[in-house]
């Protein structure tokens, strides 16, 4: 083929390639957009399950037609300046196709949301609660709470469904170890009895053959009752909960309580122990309670108190990358070798761990950390450089003056320079203060403010 034969507006075509009619594709997409608007209107007006079945079938047919529309790839171009040109027709068509597909997916989701609820949903919820009951070991109190909860649920259930399901009258709450050798066996009997009772309830729902349209109000009320039932079961006392409380009770943790002001009682007792400075009891609660809520409050109490008795457990916890423990060690402020070693391990770590570790090293005045912290002044991350500078200022070691002065002079980030100025002011020697004072007309307000705060007048 000659060069002249290839010069033209159309790309060369092989014998097997036929030109694509882009206008025909555009027309099909116009029609699909109109059809989709009609489907949206049909879904909005659908009131019954059969109506929704019709819309669902129409949506399936629509998707098949949409998937049959093939958008050709846009022609490749060797022009490097094409980024500023208008998009190719094929790209515009593909974008319209994608928008239609996205709107179709939204309609399909709306269809599912508009269906039901069904009797099968009630059965599924009851079976879920039953599984919690039968799969958990409960305390004596828990057994009693379960029986009451099932009784109350069945009263509402029977009222709504016209059934007569009832808890067996011979169930004895006896899961607690204090009831002797038969405790586990009796507790298992309670769980199995309640499980069998709830199985009767699901059978009653199935026998009722509830219709999603005709019985919509009944289904909704049953689901609401089941939600309340689930909440009651969640609040019942498990054996593991009771075991921890019994342990704390034997250790005298609750002896400080004349009454329970805050729930849970462990929280109230923790506040009293913090007020009285009972570090051993707070550490006991921290070690014993598996609740994330209570663990957080124990750590917060220790952080406020800063007791040296907490050093060893907090060093261990800090060794497991725990930032709260690092903050507590900083609050305690004792720069013994064990504490410093635990914190220095995170100096060259990730920023989430560096920030609390740097702060804690500064607060404990860790002279051994000056060199590794000074090395962090060369890090790419501006936050890391800023945190390192402030930690060096808290430590107050004069070895940090020169590297901090370099950061103040040369760092590209003004907030890092401001941190260096603050750190030099904290070190407070005449040399350090004179360096900062020279920046009283600095371009950066933050740096200038630190310089303005420097007082070089001799102290009388």
């Amino acid at each position: 083929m000659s060069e002249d034969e290839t010069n033209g507006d159309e790309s060369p075509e092989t014998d097997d390639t036929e030109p694509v009619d882009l206008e025909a594709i555009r027309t099909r997409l116009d029609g699909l957009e109109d059809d989709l608007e009609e489907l949206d209107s049909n879904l909005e007006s659908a009131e019954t399950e059969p109506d929704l079945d019709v819309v669902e079938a129409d949506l399936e047919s629509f998707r098949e037609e949409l998937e049959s529309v093939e958008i050709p790839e846009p022609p490749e171009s060797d022009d490097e300046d094409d980024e500023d040109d208008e998009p190719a027709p094929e790209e515009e068509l593909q974008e319209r196709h994608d928008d239609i597909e996205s709107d179709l997916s939204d309609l399909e989701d709306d269809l599912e949301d508009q269906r039901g609820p069904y009797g099968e949903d009630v059965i599924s919820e009851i079976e879920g609660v039953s599984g919690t009951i039968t799969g958990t070991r409960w305390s004596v109190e828990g057994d009693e709470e379960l029986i009451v909860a099932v009784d109350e649920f069945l009263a509402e259930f029977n009222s709504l469904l016209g059934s007569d399901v009832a808890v067996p009258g011979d169930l004895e709450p006896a899961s607690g170890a204090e009831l002797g050798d038969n405790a586990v066996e009796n507790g298992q009997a309670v769980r199995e009895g309640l499980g069998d009772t709830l199985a009767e309830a699901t059978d009653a729902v199935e026998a009722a053959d509830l219709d999603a349209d005709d019985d919509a109000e009944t289904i909704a009320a049953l689901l609401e009752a089941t939600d309340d039932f689930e909440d009651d079961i969640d609040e019942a006392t498990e054996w593991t909960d009771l075991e921890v409380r019994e342990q704390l009770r034997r250790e005298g943790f609750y002896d400080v309580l004349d009454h329970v002001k805050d729930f849970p009682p462990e929280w109230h007792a923790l506040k009293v122990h913090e007020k009285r400075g009972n570090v051993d009891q707070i550490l006991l609660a921290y070690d014993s309670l598996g609740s994330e809520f209570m663990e957080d409050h124990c750590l917060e109490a220790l952080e406020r108190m800063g007791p040296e008795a907490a050093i060893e457990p907090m060093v261990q916890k800090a060794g497991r990358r725990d930032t709260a423990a690092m903050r507590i060690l900083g609050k305690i402020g004792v720069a013994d070798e064990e504490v410093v070693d635990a914190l220095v391990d995170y100096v060259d770590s990730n920023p989430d761990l560096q920030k609390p570790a740097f702060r804690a090293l500064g607060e404990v005045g860790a002279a051994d950390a000056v060199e590794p912290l000074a090395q962090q002044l060369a890090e790419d991350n501006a936050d890391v450089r800023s945190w390192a500078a402030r930690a060096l200022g808290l430590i107050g070691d004069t070895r940090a003056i020169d590297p901090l002065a370099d950061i103040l002079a040369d760092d590209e980030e003004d907030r890092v320079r401001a941190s260096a100025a603050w750190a030099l002011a904290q070190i407070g020697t005449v040399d350090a203060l004179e360096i900062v004072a020279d920046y009283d007309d600095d371009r950066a307000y933050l740096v200038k403010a630190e310089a303005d705060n420097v007082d070089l007048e001799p102290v009388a």
Side-chain angles (χ1 to χ4, degrees), residues 152-313:
E152 291 178 350
F153 167 69
L154 290 178
E156 180 70 13
F157 177 88
N158 290 330
S159 174
L160 292 168
L161 207 59
S163 53
D164 57 357
V165 182
V167 175
D170 58 351
L171 290 184
E172 296 182 6
S175 293
E178 67 270 28
L179 294 181
D181 295 337
N182 294 328
V184 175
E185 181 179 348
N186 291 343
Q188 181 68 25
V190 170
R191 296 193 295 274
E192 290 180 355
L194 294 178
D196 292 342
T197 300
L198 293 175
E200 293 179 26
T202 59
D203 290 342
V205 175
E206 187 172 0
D209 194 21
L210 299 172
D211 183 87
D213 293 323
D214 297 339
D215 302 308
E217 291 185 4
T218 299
I219 294 173
L222 285 169
L223 287 173
E224 183 176 354
T226 307
D227 286 342
D228 294 339
F229 179 35
E230 185 174 10
D231 290 341
D232 291 340
I233 299 304
D234 287 342
E235 293 175 2
T237 308
E238 297 183 27
W239 168 247
T240 53
D241 296 334
L242 182 63
E243 189 174 45
V244 171
R245 288 179 175 175
E246 287 295 330
Q247 179 185 10
L248 291 173
R249 185 173 289 111
R250 288 195 299 270
E251 295 288 349
F253 183 75
Y254 300 101
D255 291 350
V256 296
L257 296 179
D258 295 326
H259 64 283
V260 177
K261 178 180 179 182
D262 299 307
F263 186 85
E266 291 78 18
W267 188 19
H268 185 189
L270 178 67
K271 293 178 182 179
V272 178
H273 286 304
E274 179 184 352
K275 186 176 181 179
R276 297 183 181 181
N278 298 334
V279 179
D280 57 336
Q281 291 290 348
I282 296 174
L283 291 173
L284 171 65
Y286 170 73
D287 289 334
S288 302
L289 295 167
S291 160
E292 182 177 347
F293 171 84
M294 284 304 303
E295 179 177 312
D296 288 344
H297 281 288
C298 287
L299 292 174
E300 289 171 3
L302 291 172
E303 187 171 357
R304 287 188 293 267
M305 298 170 69
E308 293 189 20
I311 288 179
E312 183 176 349

Side-chain angles (χ1 to χ4, degrees), residues 271-437:
K271 293 178 182 179
V272 178
H273 286 304
E274 179 184 352
K275 186 176 181 179
R276 297 183 181 181
N278 298 334
V279 179
D280 57 336
Q281 291 290 348
I282 296 174
L283 291 173
L284 171 65
Y286 170 73
D287 289 334
S288 302
L289 295 167
S291 160
E292 182 177 347
F293 171 84
M294 284 304 303
E295 179 177 312
D296 288 344
H297 281 288
C298 287
L299 292 174
E300 289 171 3
L302 291 172
E303 187 171 357
R304 287 188 293 267
M305 298 170 69
E308 293 189 20
I311 288 179
E312 183 176 349
M314 291 304 103
V315 166
Q316 295 176 358
K317 192 170 180 63
R320 298 191 294 272
R321 305 165 66 89
D322 189 277
T323 57
M326 297 180 200
R327 293 195 301 271
I328 292 169
L329 290 173
K331 179 68 174 180
I332 295 172
V334 175
D336 67 20
E337 183 178 356
E338 189 179 18
V339 171
V340 175
D341 287 347
L343 296 171
V344 168
D345 282 345
Y346 298 107
V347 167
D348 190 18
S349 183
N350 68 70
D352 290 339
L353 298 173
Q354 286 175 306
K355 184 177 182 180
F358 288 8
R359 175 76 182 185
L361 286 167
E363 289 175 329
V364 303
D368 290 344
V370 170
E371 182 177 347
L373 284 170
Q375 292 174 357
Q376 296 301 310
L377 295 174
E379 279 296 303
D380 292 336
N381 188 318
D383 287 335
V384 173
R385 300 198 301 274
S386 179
W387 300 332
R390 290 184 173 272
L392 290 168
L394 289 172
I395 293 172
D397 195 300
T398 56
R399 289 175 295 166
I401 292 177
D402 287 343
L404 287 170
D406 291 340
I407 288 294
L408 177 56
D410 301 328
D411 200 281
E412 60 186 17
E413 293 286 345
D414 288 338
R415 58 193 173 93
V416 178
R417 296 177 59 239
S419 293
W422 178 89
L424 288 165
Q426 292 298 306
I427 292 174
T429 64
V430 173
D431 290 344
L433 294 176
E434 286 179 346
I435 292 171
V436 180

Side-chain angles (χ1 to χ4, degrees), residues 20-34 69-72 87-94 96-97 100:
V20 178
D21 189 346
L22 298 182
E23 188 59 36
I25 295 176
R26 185 173 289 107
T27 300
R28 287 189 68 186
L29 293 179
D30 289 340
L32 287 170
E33 287 173 339
D34 293 339
V69 179
E70 297 183 4
I71 311 296
E90 292 86 352
E91 293 175 328
E92 293 181 351
L93 292 174
Q94 184 62 57
R96 287 184 63 189
H97 187 281
I100 294 172

